[in-house]
Amino acid sequence: MIVRTLKDCENSPRNIDGGNWKSVRMLLREDNMGFSFHITTIFANTETPIWYQNHLESVYCISGEGEIETVADGKVYPIQPGTLYVLDKHDQHLLRGFSDMQMACVFNPPLIGNEQHNQDGAYELSAEPVTG
Ligand code: 9YT
């Protein structure tokens, strides 16, 4: 059994600074669950282009307000506490935070540890593992 706290993970290499966001990756590939689980904060007044070509992601909004726009069709979906969005088609999107948004994120395949968005807004499959 694995038990961790957000606070413990924040004070470890699992705490990643992404510029427009920070992410505490509480479960990683090395934990052998088949997915990774992150508590991500999207910062207020930011727009982040994202296109996870190598991963599927589900994102649940715990707090804050924002919106997501799918690039293919220009549709805009509001995000508020209780909203779940699921990138089941590797959807290219723009993520906007109107206030700081705390999000619970699940990735399949699991992230390894220190991934940062590349210029397409994707994560490569060749990141370096982190421990702790
Ligand atoms: C919602 C989203 O994908 N934000 C970017 C960071 C990502 N959740 C991560 O790396 O944890």
Side-chain angles (χ1 to χ4, degrees):
M1 182 166 176
I2 300 169
V3 178
R4 296 189 177 120
T5 67
L6 183 59
K7 195 171 177 185
D8 288 346
C9 295
E10 277 173 340
N11 295 317
S12 81
R14 290 165 179 267
N15 192 350
I16 306 294
D17 177 359
N20 284 355
W21 48 266
K22 70 168 187 173
S23 190
V24 185
R25 296 176 175 163
M26 298 186 71
L27 278 180
L28 288 168
R29 186 180 70 177
E30 67 184 20
D31 297 309
N32 295 314
M33 289 296 290
F35 56 86
S36 59
F37 178 85
H38 319 171
I39 298 296
T40 297
T41 303
I42 307 294
F43 295 129
N45 306 313
T46 59
E47 177 182 87
T48 306
I50 301 177
W51 192 6
Y52 292 134
Q53 296 162 67
N54 301 314
H55 297 84
L56 301 170
E57 186 193 23
S58 296
V59 183
Y60 177 81
C61 178
I62 299 167
S63 63
E65 306 276 342
E67 66 182 21
I68 181 170
E69 176 176 343
T70 40
V71 171
D73 56 11
K75 281 191 182 168
V76 176
Y77 303 85
I79 300 172
Q80 56 192 23
T83 303
L84 174 74
Y85 68 83
V86 179
L87 303 168
D88 61 327
K89 297 182 177 61
H90 301 281
D91 315 70
Q92 185 178 9
H93 60 283
L94 298 167
L95 182 59
R96 302 185 185 106
F98 301 150
S99 59
D100 282 4
M101 289 193 292
Q102 192 176 43
M103 319 289 264
C105 309
V106 174
F107 278 82
N108 170 22
L111 294 204
I112 296 169
N114 67 350
E115 287 93 334
Q116 290 281 358
H117 290 169
N118 67 16
Q119 58 189 9
D120 289 337
Y123 292 132
E124 309 287 351
L125 293 175
S126 56
E128 293 294 319
V130 298
T131 53

